Amino acid sequence: GIQVEQSPPDLILQEGANSTLRCNFSDSVNNLQWFHQNPWGQLINLFYIPSGTKQNGRLSATTVATERYSLLYISSSQTTDSGVYFCAVLRGSTLGRLYFGRGTQLTVWP
Amino acid sequence: GAGVSQSPSNKVTEKGKDVELRCDPISGHTALYWYRQSLGQGLEFLIYFQGNSAPDKSGLPSDRFSAERTGGSVSTLTIQRTQQEDSAVYLCASSYTGGVQPQHFGDGTRLSIL
């Protein structure tokens, strides 16, 4: 299978700070998704971003497919941003299964 | 429906019992996926349905696990003779046509085996 590595594993921020989360993957991919798992366990879609840059409010993401990495930027963090951020990738040859990284645990303090 | 719906949200059962978990995908989505999230293993793929067929069931951990999908909609994941290591959150996702389309997840079923 494909290896997905996320860094850092843990991140603690003060409210208002900015952060960058990284996802490295070991092979070419056809799809990449970023998810936020909130403290209630819900897995929320943030971005579908196989390549390029997208922005949604305070969040943005960039995937450089040729270099096999993706970055998730969180600006002006809020306590509601706390939770685990997962990167997941898909290869066309494996019929749609997503391979997940281990996640980045983000804690934002007021 | 508006989102992927899973039931029950929580299930506690005794070791050795059978359990059934249900997933109702987003209306119109032909592809459906089951994943499992456990403390030691992270998020792992179990099975993928396209319509009522399962072209990839390679993630099912043992023959105690089975899944079916009927009418191209609702899916049921069945675990027979449950073991304590089956304790996990079971997540269902769906996507519009499968392939590289984005997957949308339900809230999961938290399964606890006593």
Side-chain angles (χ1 to χ4, degrees):
Chain A
I2 188 169
Q3 307 302 313
V4 182
E5 295 182 358
Q6 292 188 241
S7 60
D10 297 280
L11 189 57
I12 300 174
L13 300 174
Q14 197 81 34
E15 204 168 26
N18 302 328
S19 61
T20 301
L21 283 58
R22 187 176 181 103
C23 171
N24 292 333
F25 41 96
S26 61
D27 208 338
S28 58
V29 299
N30 300 97
N31 175 15
L32 186 145
Q33 291 183 249
W34 281 99
F35 297 92
H36 174 216
Q37 189 165 43
N38 63 25
W40 296 269
Q42 296 172 315
L43 205 57
I44 298 163
N45 272 306
L46 295 177
F47 293 101
Y48 166 71
I49 185 164
S51 64
T53 297
K54 291 187 177 180
Q55 179 149 12
N56 184 2
R58 296 180 297 102
L59 273 59
S60 64
T62 294
T63 297
V64 184
T66 52
E67 297 186 21
R68 300 180 185 168
Y69 73 89
S70 183
L71 302 173
L72 178 69
Y73 305 96
I74 305 174
S75 64
S76 305
S77 57
Q78 301 176 357
T79 56
T80 51
D81 295 332
S82 295
V84 184
Y85 289 80
F86 288 102
C87 167
V89 301
L90 181 151
R91 297 180 64 186
S93 60
T94 48
L95 292 178
R97 72 158 69 180
L98 285 172
Y99 292 88
F100 283 81
R102 304 289 276 190
T104 292
Q105 173 78 56
L106 175 65
T107 304
V108 182
W109 292 99
Chain B
V4 178
S5 178
Q6 291 188 247
S7 61
S9 53
N10 286 283
K11 177 73 176 178
V12 180
T13 192
E14 293 179 348
K15 176 182 170 181
K17 300 283 190 184
D18 297 352
V19 295
E20 283 190 355
L21 312 180
R22 177 189 166 101
C23 173
D24 199 345
I26 293 171
S27 178
H29 281 196
T30 63
L32 185 147
Y33 313 80
W34 285 97
Y35 294 84
R36 178 169 74 171
Q37 185 174 26
S38 51
L39 279 176
Q41 301 299 321
L43 272 148
E44 51 182 346
F45 166 85
L46 298 177
I47 187 169
Y48 157 53
F49 285 94
Q50 182 59 261
N52 293 336
S53 302
D56 187 355
K57 45 188 166 184
S58 60
L60 294 177
S62 75
D63 59 8
R64 296 186 296 103
F65 287 72
S66 63
E68 65 175 12
R69 189 178 185 197
T70 55
S73 181
V74 172
S75 175
T76 302
L77 177 69
T78 301
I79 309 173
Q80 295 179 309
R81 305 181 303 281
T82 52
Q83 304 293 312
Q84 287 189 330
E85 62 262 28
D86 300 335
S87 296
V89 177
Y90 289 81
L91 291 158
C92 177
S94 70
S95 71
Y96 182 52
T97 58
V100 301
Q101 291 290 312
Q103 297 181 21
H104 302 270
F105 283 77
D107 289 348
T109 293
R110 183 174 300 277
L111 177 63
S112 300
I113 310 299
L114 302 178

